[in-house]
Amino acid sequence: MRYFFRRRIPPLTRMLLVESGSRHIIEKGLPVFESIYGAPAKLDLLTCLPGLPQGLDPATSEVFSVTECSSTADRRRLLGQLRARGYSVVGIVCSDEPVMTPWKVATAALLPAKVLIFNENADFFWVDWAHRKVLRQFVAYRAGMLEESAPRKIAQVFAFPFILAFLVLFAAYVHVVRAFRVARSH
C-alpha cells in the first residue's frame, strides 16, 4: 500500500479493480468515480466471476481470474505479475460478502498503489491518513462494533487473555496433580 500518509491522489495511469463482491457494485460505483476523478488510462480487473462488468472495455481491459490459480505458486505468480504492472490505484470492493478475502488483503498490502474501497452501496473512499475516521468507522461496522452488543464484544476481547491464562494454568495444575498421584502409586 502506498500513499497512506499522503492525501495526494496519484495520476490514474493504471487502475486494478478487485471485484470481490457483487458485480453491480462496480457497475454502479465506477461511473461515479470516473465522473469525479476521470477515467483511468488503463483499467484491469481481478475477479472470480466470468465476463466483464458493464462499463469495462474488453479491448483495453485485461481480466485476471483467481479461479485459474490452483496452487500457492500460481497465486504468487499472479500477485508478482500484478505487482510488476505498476498500478497507481487499486480499487477493492469491500461489501459485506466473504468473497476473495485473501486477495483483497494481498492486493492492498503487496501492490505499491493507493487503495480505494468500494462498499456495498457503491460508495467509495481512499485508504489514507486523511480518511482515517471513515476507515475506522468502516472497520468498526464490519467488526460489529457499532451495534448494541459492542460493549460486550469489547469486554470479551479484553477478557480473552485472562481466560486463556486461567485455562492453561488449570490444565497444568491437573497434569501436575495426576503426575504426583501416578508417582505415589508406584
Side-chain angles (χ1 to χ4, degrees):
M1 184 170 15
R2 215 175 189 188
Y3 305 112
F4 181 77
F5 291 108
R6 296 183 193 158
R7 192 178 181 109
R8 184 177 76 84
I9 308 299
L12 295 175
T13 53
R14 291 188 84 116
M15 182 175 180
L16 176 68
L17 282 175
V18 181
E19 187 180 32
S20 52
S22 300
R23 179 156 281 175
H24 77 296
I25 295 169
I26 287 181
E27 292 173 345
K28 187 177 173 186
L30 191 59
V32 176
F33 172 80
E34 290 177 347
S35 70
I36 295 171
Y37 295 102
K42 179 84 168 126
L43 184 62
D44 295 336
L45 181 71
L46 179 67
T47 186
C48 63
L49 303 173
L52 280 174
Q54 292 177 354
L56 265 70
D57 184 11
T60 60
S61 297
E62 191 162 349
V63 178
F64 300 96
S65 178
V66 298
T67 57
E68 297 171 3
C69 298
S70 58
S71 68
T72 304
D74 291 340
R75 290 189 215 58
R76 286 185 182 150
R77 190 176 314 111
L78 178 57
L79 284 171
Q81 184 181 2
L82 293 173
R83 187 174 169 82
R85 290 186 164 266
Y87 293 109
S88 60
V89 174
V90 174
I92 301 175
V93 175
C94 288
S95 60
D96 203 9
E97 301 167 288
V99 179
M100 292 176 44
T101 303
W103 288 98
K104 293 179 202 182
V105 174
T107 54
L110 298 176
L111 298 183
K114 186 145 182 119
V115 177
L116 177 72
I117 301 288
F118 289 92
N119 68 9
E120 60 272 2
N121 300 323
D123 298 325
F124 54 88
F125 63 92
W126 295 102
V127 177
D128 60 15
W129 186 254
H131 296 99
R132 66 188 175 275
K133 290 179 184 176
V134 174
L135 184 61
R136 186 174 49 240
Q137 286 178 341
F138 182 76
V139 170
Y141 177 75
R142 287 286 185 260
M145 301 304 280
L146 296 180
E147 301 168 0
E148 292 176 10
S149 64
R152 181 178 176 187
K153 288 183 182 182
I154 292 171
Q156 288 173 342
V157 167
F158 285 118
F160 176 76
F162 300 108
I163 293 170
L164 182 64
F166 172 77
L167 292 174
V168 168
L169 289 173
F170 180 74
Y173 170 76
V174 168
H175 286 292
V176 167
V177 167
R178 185 171 27 159
F180 281 132
R181 285 184 183 164
V182 169
R184 265 197 227 163
S185 67
H186 291 291

